[in-house]
Amino acid sequence: MNLRLTKYYYGDIPEEKTGGGTAASSSNTEAGWPLWEVFIRSKQGLDHKHVGSLQAADAQMAIENARDVYTRRSEGISIWVVESKHIHASNPDDAGAFYEPANDKVYRHPTFYDLPDELKHM
Amino acid sequence: MSVQELEQLFQAKVDQEIKIEPKDWMPDAYRKTLVRQISQHAHSEIVGMLPEGNWISRAPTLKRKAILLAKVQDEAGHGLYLYSAVETLGTTRNQTIEDLHSGKAKYSSIFNYPTLTWADIGAVGWLVDGAAILNQVMLCRTSYGPYARAMVRICKEESFHQRQGFDILLQLSQGTPEQKAMCQDAINRWWWPSLMMFGPKDGESTHSDQSMTWKIKRKSNDELRQQFVDMIVEQAKILHMTLPDPELKWNEARGHYDFGEIDWVEFWNVVKGNGPCNKERLQARRDAWEEGAWVREAAAAHAAKRKDRQAQQVA
């Protein structure tokens, strides 16, 4: 692939135009905190919904950070956090075959059944 | 499947407005462009806290102080949403931050200008956040899912930022002659740097526009800049303030305001590190990182201790 990205957009200054500071910092040597996925219930009666992720040393800190980051405007009444490494996901490359069994079962949908118009409350 | 076929599939998804998600196949250059752009955006949020933080302790009233604190806290949150989005592309947080500290990664040049008076906080909210919002509203529809979702969240919070800025200027514009002069002075200093936020002119490149094809971006720099000028000129009338551009005038034929030429020498100078505050900003970030090292270590030690204690209780 031979792409030349020569058009610079807002917030996208190319690296070759760099200048200024060159001092190296040693930040990369320390071990980072684990990543956590955050789920929030916005109000009683609704599901917890994935809202994003953050880093924290442990679960309690993750919950406190999630409160500060994701609920500053009363967006939630309950928070779940789970370490990202514990999330297992289906493979998007296999999506076709994986979900195929449902595709030919249109009779699972109520609209499959053509019933008389006189029939009420169904 | 060959790379060419994968690329065709990828582009077909983008063309159909299907979002690209972290585990989906994507061209290397797409990933690289996103890492650069989102991390620059994240750094801009974090560095952007510095010029405003400068005025937290000197805000004129308790109300203004509380509002400014909340705004700066929002910026930290926005940085975090974006750092998380970068992480989904397979780059570590530490590497991203390291690239800022080493000078490799950029952030928006606007934050290399100083906030000299209280009116500057108003001008930053009105003009700088106003310019950022136009870009961010567009990015809510960007093709990469995690970036788009971060932008939706940010846009929800950002409109308060612009309104509080305008509110500061509105009050100054109705104040004493000194306050009015302070308001006009801040607008004069922030107007051109705000226009520069949209980046170089479209005409500077004749190459095909990859970010547009990939739908990372959906509007050109000049389109967004024009949108900004048209919007701000009208809003400035409410403040009874002027914008420092003698060439600014309504063009009936175009249906837009014409405006003068940006000083591109200044633009590239600031990008290259020679703006009024480049060194100070970067040093402040490095210091914050280094002086915060003990906090990160202590938190890790505390977490380990708490884990041990819980294990003992179970046993």
Side-chain angles (χ1 to χ4, degrees), chain B residues 48-68:
Chain B
M49 292 194 284
L50 298 172
E52 298 192 301
N54 184 34
W55 280 90
I56 290 175
S57 62
R58 292 179 288 156
T61 65
L62 187 59
K63 181 185 98 172
R64 294 291 184 194
K65 184 183 287 206
I67 291 171
L68 188 55

Side-chain angles (χ1 to χ4, degrees), chain B residues 8 63 84 106 172 200 257 266 273 277 296:
Chain B
Q8 278 171 8
K63 181 185 98 172
S84 298
K106 298 279 108 182
L172 288 172
Y257 280 93
E266 175 180 328
C277 303
R296 295 191 294 277

Side-chain angles (χ1 to χ4, degrees), chain A residues 9-10 13 51 58 73, chain B residues 40 74 135 153 197 209 306:
Chain A
Y9 286 103
Y10 167 90
I13 302 299
V51 294
D58 65 6
R73 290 175 177 78
Chain B
Q40 280 181 14
D74 272 356
N135 185 55
R153 193 168 292 122
M197 284 176 71
D209 200 336
R306 190 150 57 189

Side-chain angles (χ1 to χ4, degrees), chain B residues 280-296:
Chain B
E280 184 186 330
R281 299 291 186 237
L282 213 48
Q283 195 56 49
R285 286 314 311 155
R286 289 192 195 118
D287 290 349
W289 181 262
E290 274 156 31
E291 286 163 18
W294 72 269
V295 180
R296 295 191 294 277

